[in-house]
Amino acid sequence: MMTDRIKLVSGSAVAPLLLFATAAQAEQTAPLSIAKMGNVYAGGKYTDVKGKKVMNGQVYAEFLIPAKQTSPYPVVMVHGGGVTGSLYMQTPDGREGWAQYFLRKGFAVYVVDQPGRGRSAYVPEIYGAMGGAGNPENLQQNQTASERYNRWPQAHLHTQWPGTGVAGDPAFDAYFASTEPGIRDYAKTAELNRDGMVALLEKIGPSILLTHSQSATPSWAAADARPDLVKALIPIEPGVPYHDVDFVGAPEWFKTDPELRRPWGLTPIPLHYEPPAPNPTDIVAVEQEKPDAPDLAKCWLQKDPVRQLVTLQKVPILMVTGEASFHAPTDHCYVKLLEQAGVHPTWIRLADVGIHGNGHPMMVEKNNAEVVEVIYKWIAKTVPASKKP
């Protein structure tokens, strides 16, 4: 069973947020009030390649500054794998994204394109051969129409995609059109994104860092490197520690990938543990003998003696998990690992607060305004200088 130190948000505590749905819809019809907009590149370095200098490692961030800024801390939004920052700017069916939501609440917003993605140019001389961009079938199975495939126990609960979720539907086609290939090397991707996030925060100042899926992995490392610049860390559906999990359907449901993808538990790159763990072999992971529940995957955790993540203990953390997502059976493993290392996150399982049917890309699903309202309320409570306008 999970330790009672995990700060789970209950339905009674957050259910009133659902009353804001109608107000949020009305708010979206009002004109945006923007004082300034533009973009910034951060990080990056020159590398000599065959006699010429190549810039690589930079992140791109598009910013929106509200006319009435109520928080001194921007919200920095970083997309996950296979997409770009457009994920936060608009939903595939044309509704406002989370960027506009936070802008309306008085936050400056920075929407990132990761190195080698979107408006951060791909540099093959440094990044290597470009990975694949996926295909419609995979997207349907894992994100937009998981209820048709039932590859994990919660998949049949999915109801929030704005359309049929299959190729040929306008919302699906718009979403698939936004997908992009990226860097194949997983550890290199994490390292580049950690450095890019840190460089951006060094340029714009202390911020609230909101990440999703693949970008959650380097965000642990960014917060670990510069906790003074991360006023709060919000990893949306970060995944699973140490080993990936393959979803194979009933009755087995879960299969552990033998590759040790994240040898430092949260990441494939070093973190500040106490006692120190400069080498991946310093940490030994062990798999649970049985899962916490039949619909959950078994977790990998540290073997005793357990090391502490001393720097991340200083950072307020909120994790959010959708009811029907393929992260629903695995996100608890990140919470267990954090708790084991002395980090006490708040974890909101959307179903527990009355928000049902969400898959992995909750920021573009039908109820994206309800979901982000929950996140905003946590920020307003946790980061004292962030006040409701």
Side-chain angles (χ1 to χ4, degrees):
M1 298 294 292
M2 281 185 228
T3 172
D4 58 6
R5 292 179 299 172
I6 299 172
K7 293 179 283 184
L8 286 169
V9 177
S10 68
S12 60
V14 186
L17 295 173
L18 303 183
L19 299 176
F20 286 90
T22 302
Q25 291 169 359
E27 188 179 51
Q28 286 192 13
T29 64
L32 292 168
S33 184
I34 302 174
K36 186 179 180 181
M37 61 185 295
N39 62 75
V40 59
Y41 283 90
K45 62 181 181 180
Y46 287 107
T47 303
D48 289 320
V49 178
K50 296 181 179 179
K52 68 175 182 178
K53 290 188 179 297
V54 176
M55 170 68 77
N56 61 97
Q58 68 273 21
V59 299
Y60 168 94
E62 183 171 341
F63 62 81
L64 303 168
I65 311 298
K68 183 180 179 182
Q69 192 166 343
T70 61
S71 171
Y73 306 119
V75 178
V76 175
M77 302 180 180
V78 190
H79 60 86
V83 293
T84 70
S86 66
L87 190 76
Y88 295 110
M89 298 298 293
Q90 181 175 293
T91 68
D93 59 332
R95 291 170 292 115
E96 285 189 352
W98 285 6
Q100 291 92 334
Y101 175 91
F102 278 105
L103 182 74
R104 291 184 184 280
K105 293 295 186 183
F107 291 80
V109 176
Y110 288 77
V111 181
V112 169
D113 282 350
Q114 296 182 26
R117 217 91 61 81
R119 285 162 288 190
S120 294
Y122 196 92
V123 187
E125 299 94 333
I126 305 296
Y127 302 155
M130 188 176 288
N135 61 69
E137 182 71 13
N138 285 340
L139 202 63
Q140 292 167 189
Q141 289 183 17
N142 297 324
Q143 297 190 34
T144 64
S146 62
E147 67 277 12
R148 296 172 178 241
Y149 299 89
N150 287 321
R151 297 177 63 223
W152 55 92
Q154 300 84 354
H156 70 283
L157 300 171
H158 187 229
T159 60
Q160 291 292 348
W161 183 258
T164 64
V166 298
D169 178 83
F172 177 90
D173 293 347
Y175 187 46
F176 187 67
S178 73
T179 62
E180 284 200 6
I183 301 168
R184 291 179 183 270
D185 188 319
Y186 182 69
K188 173 60 70 176
T189 300
E191 181 181 349
L192 288 168
N193 276 283
R194 175 201 60 196
D195 295 347
M197 290 180 199
V198 168
L200 178 61
L201 298 185
E202 288 175 342
K203 184 168 284 191
I204 68 175
S207 301
I208 297 160
L209 184 57
L210 186 154
T211 62
H212 180 235
S213 194
Q214 169 257 316
S215 67
T217 299
S219 74
W220 302 117
D224 183 64
R226 293 299 306 269
D228 57 316
L229 293 177
V230 180
K231 300 302 294 185
L233 178 62
I234 307 174
I236 307 296
E237 301 210 336
V240 60
Y242 296 108
H243 295 265
D244 284 348
V245 172
D246 296 325
F247 302 100
V248 296
E252 186 179 2
W253 292 118
F254 313 110
K255 183 178 179 180
T256 299
D257 189 314
E259 181 183 0
L260 183 59
R261 293 261 280 176
R262 287 163 289 276
W264 277 274
L266 303 173
T267 70
I269 52 180
L271 298 170
H272 290 111
Y273 279 98
E274 188 60 46
N279 303 303
T281 54
D282 294 330
I283 300 173
V284 178
V286 292
E287 189 177 27
Q288 288 180 299
E289 292 186 7
K290 61 180 182 179
D292 290 346
D295 62 346
L296 300 178
K298 290 191 291 185
C299 298
W300 288 80
L301 300 168
Q302 287 191 64
K303 182 180 179 179
D304 289 333
V306 172
R307 287 173 162 81
Q308 299 291 292
L309 286 163
V310 291
T311 306
L312 283 179
Q313 292 172 8
K314 305 172 186 177
V315 179
I317 298 171
L318 169 66
M319 282 179 46
V320 181
T321 304
E323 180 182 43
S325 171
F326 66 91
H327 286 249
T330 62
D331 271 0
H332 70 290
C333 295
Y334 261 126
V335 179
K336 290 175 74 73
L337 183 64
L338 289 167
E339 286 285 336
Q340 189 186 43
V343 181
H344 308 307
T346 298
W347 182 29
I348 297 179
R349 296 176 292 195
L350 292 178
D352 291 346
V353 298
I355 299 178
H356 297 282
N358 283 102
H360 186 49
M362 60 186 71
M363 62 285 300
V364 297
E365 293 195 305
K366 289 188 291 186
N367 62 347
N368 69 331
E370 290 181 53
V371 175
V372 74
E373 186 79 23
V374 172
I375 295 170
Y376 165 71
K377 290 294 182 181
W378 180 86
I379 292 173
K381 179 180 178 181
T382 306
V383 185
S386 303
K387 298 178 180 179
K388 186 175 181 179

